[in-house]
């Protein structure tokens, strides 16, 4: 049987060979025939976005929740430049995805949309893979997918438009990826680390996004030591239900948990880069022994250098530490026997009081935590409001939580919520966004969620201002009016785009909105009207 086909068909078939069944994107001159073949010849699903950057963000969220490579496609020139922020977000988040990007024809160097796409992609930190010739397409696609997995970042496959109708011999090319567990800690530094842990009277186990797969082993180590458990923001929800889980470590901790961390004498860190928010710019790590375990050497020593650094697999290392503690008959620390976990996990309660025409944000979050579906996937945009959301809205597990702040941007949340919704059919997706973020990136893709019929609940915190800047003007006793905006009604916009929209200006209206969630059909947006002078400060 002949495998002769056109180049664009071979690209589509190669994606299908790698198990791809969903592709996000926008069609243009250099990718439209490939998309058509992916749908008609390969039985794939194509999800058209309203903006090219949105398609990359959707693929990133899809990859995170589904646990596989996300795939998006755009055409050349301005289509790719529109993806720069999204690609950088994926790089900083270590998310494996492939962007099938068209390029202008090789034979047309003065093409209107011509740009050095390699240099553009390099600026984001993403990887670049060039289709070398029509006949190498299967190998080049395979290389892009391989690199996305082993490098844990987006890889852009660059496809010149004038290759699309060339005839090629399609070959199935899928490169094996080494998936065995990482290295086992051993040697003198391991001995030093175990000595620090064994002598600690108040040890604490901290897990980051790189240790999510080691949950059971880390719990076993914590139980053996009688040490409390904590996570970074990226691993939020990892230890849910454990009796000594103090939740998020660092500037997002409760006041009591922050004090507990300050009193501990040894922090054993797994799969976390220990950035400045986790360590509160180093303050939480002073006067303590720090043991850091990570399979990625570059993750160690970036913010502060630990007393013992182990480049090794988190789960295997935790098992090794438990083994040697048992062999040496080291007694448990007894630290958890002193703890009142209810006090350690209690954030200050909201008053429920607000000026006329507004609701209290903390009170609204407390009610939303009670009323939102428990099996939710939680997505958060960036901005002033999100730190309270991270602290007060729970998630079932880290895979059900997406925080779109790897690059510190706002305006990325709705797009990732769409990708999350398609990767978790049957589960509701809850997005929290500020008003500025929703105006920047949410409006154009809310209709995408409507077209797809997603079970999406959007909470827009609307203080009619760019809040982070607003508070800085107030702190310096300056006029904040340049940060204030008279936005349109977001609830009205949601209705005009085909969804359900509810405006909330009082506690009574909040209860009405929460009751409406019980009978929702398709995307619904709840607009919380907030007083810009009465919003909790960011916890940084």
């Amino acid at each position: 049987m002949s495998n002769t086909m056109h180049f664009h068909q071979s690209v589509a078939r190669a994606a299908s060979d790698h198990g791809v069944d969903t592709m996000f994107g926008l069609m243009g001159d250099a990718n439209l025939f490939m998309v058509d073949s992916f749908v008609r010849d390969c039985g794939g699903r194509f999800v058209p976005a309203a903006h090219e950057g949105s398609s990359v963000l959707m693929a990133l969220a899809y990859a995170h929740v589904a646990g596989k490579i996300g795939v998006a496609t755009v055409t050349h020139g301005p289509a790719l430049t529109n993806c720069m922020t999204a690609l950088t977000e994926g790089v900083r988040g270590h998310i494996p995805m492939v962007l099938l990007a068209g390029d202008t024809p090789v034979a047309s160097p003065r093409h209107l949309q011509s740009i050095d796409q390699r240099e553009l992609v390099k600026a984001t930190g993403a990887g670049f893979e060039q289709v070398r010739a029509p006949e190498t397409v299967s190998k080049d696609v395979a290389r892009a997918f391989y690199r996305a997995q082993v490098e844990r970042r987006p890889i852009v496959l660059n496809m010149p438009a004038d290759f699309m109708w060339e005839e090629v011999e399609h070959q199935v090319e899928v490169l094996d990826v080494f998936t065995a567990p990482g290295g086992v800690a051993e040697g003198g530094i391991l001995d030093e680390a175990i000595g620090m842990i064994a002598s600690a009277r108040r040890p604490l186990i901290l897990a980051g996004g790189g240790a999510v797969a080691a949950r059971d082993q880390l719990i076993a180590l914590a139980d053996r030591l009688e040490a409390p458990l904590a996570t970074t923001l990226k691993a939020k929800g990892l230890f849910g239900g454990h009796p000594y889980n103090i939740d998020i470590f660092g500037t997002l901790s409760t006041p009591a948990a922050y004090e507990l961390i300050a009193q501990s004498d040894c922090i054993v860190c797994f799969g976390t880069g220990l950035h400045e928010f986790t360590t509160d710019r180093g303050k939480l790590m002073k006067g303590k022994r720090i043991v850091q375990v990570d399979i990625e050497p570059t993750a160690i020593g970036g913010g502060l250098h630990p007393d013992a650094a182990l480049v090794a697999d988190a789960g295997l290392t935790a098992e090794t530490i438990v083994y040697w503690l048992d062999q040496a008959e080291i007694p448990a620390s007894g630290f958890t026997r002193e703890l009142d976990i209810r006090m350690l996990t209690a954030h200050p309660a909201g008053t429920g009081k607000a000026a006329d025409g507004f609701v209290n944000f903390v009170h609204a979050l407390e009610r939303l935590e009670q009323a939102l579906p428990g099996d939710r996937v939680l997505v958060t945009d960036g901005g002033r409001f999100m730190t309270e959301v991270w602290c007060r809205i729970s998630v079932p597990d880290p895979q059900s939580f997406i925080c779109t702040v790897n690059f510190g941007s706002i305006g990325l949340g709705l797009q990732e919520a769409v990708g999350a919704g398609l990767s978790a059919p049957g589960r509701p997706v809850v997005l929290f966004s500020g008003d500025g973020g929703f105006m920047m990136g949410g409006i154009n893709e809310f209709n995408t969620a409507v077209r797809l019929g997603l079970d999406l609940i959007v909470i827009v915190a609307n203080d009619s201002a760019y809040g982070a800047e607003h508070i800085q003007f107030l702190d310096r006793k300056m006029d904040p009016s340049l940060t204030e905006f008279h936005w349109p009604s977001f609830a009205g916009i949601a209705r005009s785009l085909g969804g359900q929209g509810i405006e909330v200006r009082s506690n009574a209206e909040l209860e009405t909105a929460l009751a409406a969630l019980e009978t929702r059909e398709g995307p619904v947006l709840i607009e919380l009207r907030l007083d810009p002078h009465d919003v909790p400060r960011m916890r940084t």
Side-chain angles (χ1 to χ4, degrees), residues 409-447:
S409 177
I410 67 171
L412 311 184
L414 197 288
Q415 304 91 313
E416 296 218 21
V418 171
L422 289 171
S423 63
R427 296 180 62 192
V429 176
V430 178
L431 165 68
F432 282 85
S433 175
D435 48 335
F438 189 78
M439 283 293 291
M440 184 181 293
I443 289 178
N444 57 353
E445 300 301 348
F446 186 83
N447 181 252

Side-chain angles (χ1 to χ4, degrees), residues 191-202:
D191 295 340
E192 292 180 22
I194 293 174
M196 295 174 194
I197 296 168
S199 61
R201 301 277 61 86
R202 296 183 301 279

Side-chain angles (χ1 to χ4, degrees), residues 3 10-11 13-19 132 135-146 149 169-176:
N3 282 326
S10 185
V11 174
R13 186 71 57 83
S16 182
D17 292 341
H18 283 83
R132 295 163 290 169
E135 58 268 23
T136 66
V137 60
S138 297
K139 290 181 171 61
D140 296 331
V141 172
R143 178 68 180 167
F145 276 83
Y146 174 82
Q149 293 175 84
E169 284 292 322
H170 179 77
Q171 299 175 345
V172 177
E173 293 273 359
V174 179
L175 300 175
D176 290 334

Side-chain angles (χ1 to χ4, degrees), residues 205-219 229-242 244-248 270-272 314 394-401:
I205 306 299
L206 171 62
V212 169
R215 177 184 184 275
D216 294 344
Q217 295 96 321
L218 298 186
I219 288 176
L229 288 153
T231 73
T232 65
L233 178 63
K234 289 292 190 68
K236 177 179 169 66
L238 182 62
F239 300 126
H242 191 276
Y244 296 110
N245 170 33
I246 66 170
D247 205 25
I248 302 176
F270 294 88
T272 168
S394 62
V395 295
D397 51 68
Q399 201 169 351
S400 302
F401 174 54

Side-chain angles (χ1 to χ4, degrees), residues 177-191:
V177 176
F178 182 74
T179 56
V184 179
E186 58 185 0
I189 296 180
L190 174 64
D191 295 340

Side-chain angles (χ1 to χ4, degrees), residues 21-39:
D21 55 16
T22 300
M23 185 182 296
F24 303 88
L26 263 73
M27 291 190 294
D29 291 348
N31 69 341
L32 76 167
F33 300 115
M34 181 275 294
V35 169
D36 183 79
S37 179
F38 178 72
V39 173

Side-chain angles (χ1 to χ4, degrees), residues 38-390:
F38 178 72
V39 173
R40 300 182 191 280
D41 300 332
C42 303
R45 172 174 58 174
F46 177 66
V47 181
H51 185 273
E52 289 90 355
S54 299
S55 65
V56 173
L57 294 167
M58 291 173 188
L60 295 177
Y62 188 91
H64 177 84
V65 177
K68 55 186 180 182
I69 296 177
V71 178
T73 182
V74 299
T75 189
H76 40 56
L80 187 58
T81 61
N82 279 346
C83 297
M84 287 193 71
T85 296
L87 286 171
T88 308
E89 172 73 12
V91 171
R92 302 287 177 88
H94 307 289
I95 302 173
M97 72 152 290
V98 171
L99 176 60
L100 302 172
D103 199 356
T104 52
V106 175
S108 182
R110 293 182 178 272
H111 191 285
L112 177 65
Q113 294 186 335
S114 178
I115 189 173
D116 190 335
Q117 298 197 164
R118 180 188 296 271
E119 292 301 314
L120 183 80
V121 170
K122 284 171 61 178
T124 70
F128 185 88
E129 194 71 30
Q130 178 69 45
V131 175
R132 295 163 290 169
E135 58 268 23
T136 66
V137 60
S138 297
K139 290 181 171 61
D140 296 331
V141 172
R143 178 68 180 167
F145 276 83
Y146 174 82
R147 290 183 60 193
Q149 293 175 84
V150 299
E151 297 175 22
R152 294 173 55 237
R153 62 172 175 161
I155 304 296
V156 176
L157 181 68
N158 205 58
M159 310 179 298
D162 45 358
F163 288 2
M164 291 298 161
W165 287 93
E166 295 288 327
E167 286 197 345
V168 301
E169 284 292 322
H170 179 77
Q171 299 175 345
V172 177
E173 293 273 359
V174 179
L175 300 175
D176 290 334
V177 176
F178 182 74
T179 56
V184 179
E186 58 185 0
I189 296 180
L190 174 64
D191 295 340
E192 292 180 22
I194 293 174
M196 295 174 194
I197 296 168
S199 61
R201 301 277 61 86
R202 296 183 301 279
L204 188 148
I205 306 299
L206 171 62
V212 169
R215 177 184 184 275
D216 294 344
Q217 295 96 321
L218 298 186
I219 288 176
L221 174 59
D223 291 346
R224 173 63 178 79
L225 291 169
E226 294 185 358
L229 288 153
T231 73
T232 65
L233 178 63
K234 289 292 190 68
K236 177 179 169 66
L238 182 62
F239 300 126
H242 191 276
Y244 296 110
N245 170 33
I246 66 170
D247 205 25
I248 302 176
F249 182 110
T251 57
L252 298 176
S253 297
T254 68
Y258 189 97
E259 182 61 26
L260 175 77
I261 295 166
Q263 294 173 358
S264 64
D265 59 2
C266 182
I267 311 291
V268 191
C269 312
F270 294 88
T272 168
L274 297 177
H275 63 58
E276 60 181 17
F277 298 130
T278 298
T279 66
D280 195 3
R281 296 170 176 82
K283 287 189 290 186
L284 280 174
M285 300 308 197
K286 289 182 178 178
K288 302 172 176 58
R289 293 296 187 91
I290 308 299
V291 177
Q292 189 177 2
V293 182
D294 206 296
I295 199 66
E296 297 289 343
T298 55
I300 294 175
L304 56 85
H305 201 80
D307 297 284
L310 301 172
V311 179
D313 178 80
L316 294 177
T317 301
E319 290 176 350
T320 301
I321 293 171
V322 169
Y323 173 82
W324 287 113
L325 292 174
D326 289 344
Q327 290 295 303
E329 299 182 351
I330 302 297
S333 71
F335 191 23
T336 54
R337 302 172 202 171
E338 310 168 10
L339 306 183
D340 181 348
I341 200 65
R342 289 174 297 180
M343 178 68 70
L344 289 168
T345 55
H347 290 276
T351 65
K353 298 178 180 179
D356 289 345
F358 299 110
V359 290
N360 179 271
F361 186 51
V362 170
H363 171 72
L365 290 180
E366 291 171 344
R367 288 294 295 118
L368 285 161
E369 168 64 10
Q370 296 168 350
L372 289 170
D375 63 339
R376 57 184 170 260
V377 176
L378 175 64
V379 182
T380 61
D381 205 294
R384 174 184 185 181
F385 303 105
M386 293 309 117
T387 53
E388 290 298 326
V389 175
W390 297 334

